[in-house]
Amino acid sequence: MIDIIECGRLKQKPEKADSFGKVFTDYMYVREYADGKWGNGVIRPFDAIELLPCSSVLHYGQAAFEGLKAYRDGRGTVRLFRARDNFARMRTSCDRLCIPPVDADEALDALTALVDLERDWIPVERGTSLYIRPFVFASDESLGVHAAHNYKFIIILSPSGAYYSHGFAPVALKVEREYVRASKGGTGAYKVVGNYAASIKAGELAVRDGYDQVLWLDGGERKYVEEVGSMNIFFVLDGKVVTPALNGTILPGITRDSCIKLLKAKGIPVEERRVDIAEVLDGAKSGALTEIFGTGTAAVISPVDRLGDGGVDYTIGVRGKAGAIAGMLFDTLTGIQTGVIPDEFGWVVKVGK
Ligand code: COI
């Protein structure tokens, strides 16, 4: 049983969910860790959280998060996509940062109660969903660098449209040759906030240069493709679907895993292996590279039609158009998520009635 503190006044719901992560629902879930244990969580009005300027997360970034989505199908049933996997991954992120992990079943119960309460906020138009952001952070009020003794676990909900302002239209990526996202032994394989802070400069420079995002290379040899930062990456090279193998520096994306499973179920082999950027660029020059697409919770399936490296741009597939495999994955994945296609994998968790 999760206590609910009622809102005095409910917000006006927007007519359309046409932005990403800008509008938030009436309620949030908050649970605090103190004296060596997680306390009882509470659902309360979405509002500011009070932190002193000496709160440890503001100084040392001991914080992790997740991103997942809820959908409402044609019959009004609310569906969470692979929520258990998100909470399981959050535990690995917590472990990496010495944050006491939140029990995955308890987190799922909390999320289910919150989403059930906020079910009317779930948008139903194609390409929209209720984006769910669980996060956990250190809240000690002291400046020593060590594992904190106090934490907060919060879940907020945001009715959202496509992550990229141009929706499912293809994006442009810049091969990042100067900065790196992650190195062996670091935090690249975990969903921790520092990874994102460290990626912002390269992202801003890419946007300045006319691209949407950067394509990260490995931190050691600067040779092998890793991921995009907000998405994992797939290539269709010589007719084969190829994606960088999880090597300890790449985020184990849940959409990445779903796509691999969907492709295999359709009899399309997927190679998970090291992908040399030279091989990608050679393929772009020769035409052997017919598709690139990113996968992620927020981005869903994001086709890439332009790859830039050192000021030279390569067109991938047909400009402005998604490739056949990206299109098929988008339709299948969103079909399962929204209940149009049967969920043969047991990925969907239904909420309430
Ligand atoms: C997601 O896909 O949910 C992410 O967390 C990526 C990004 C929005 C940070």
Side-chain angles (χ1 to χ4, degrees), residues 20 65 67 131 133 163 191 196 230 296-298:
F20 174 80
F65 70 96
Y131 184 76
R133 174 54 62 87
Y163 181 64
K191 208 156 176 70
Y196 295 82
S230 55
T297 296

Side-chain angles (χ1 to χ4, degrees), residues 79-85 254-268 270 328-329 331-337 341-349:
R79 306 159 67 90
L80 297 170
F81 187 69
R82 300 196 68 173
R84 281 193 187 84
D85 298 289
I254 291 165
T255 312
R256 172 189 183 277
D257 181 70
S258 306
C259 287
I260 292 172
K261 292 195 164 101
L262 285 174
L263 286 163
K264 289 187 175 166
K266 286 181 187 292
I268 304 173
V270 184
M328 179 278 287
L329 284 173
D331 291 343
T332 313
L333 197 60
T334 55
I336 295 173
Q337 289 166 336
I341 296 178
D343 170 27
E344 281 162 17
F345 298 88
W347 284 336
V348 171
V349 177

Side-chain angles (χ1 to χ4, degrees), residues 39-60:
N40 290 330
V42 62
I43 291 176
R44 65 180 215 207
F46 178 95
D47 207 348
I49 41 174
E50 224 170 62
L51 289 180
L52 289 181
C54 56
S55 281
S56 44
V57 68
L58 302 178
H59 301 272
Y60 308 124

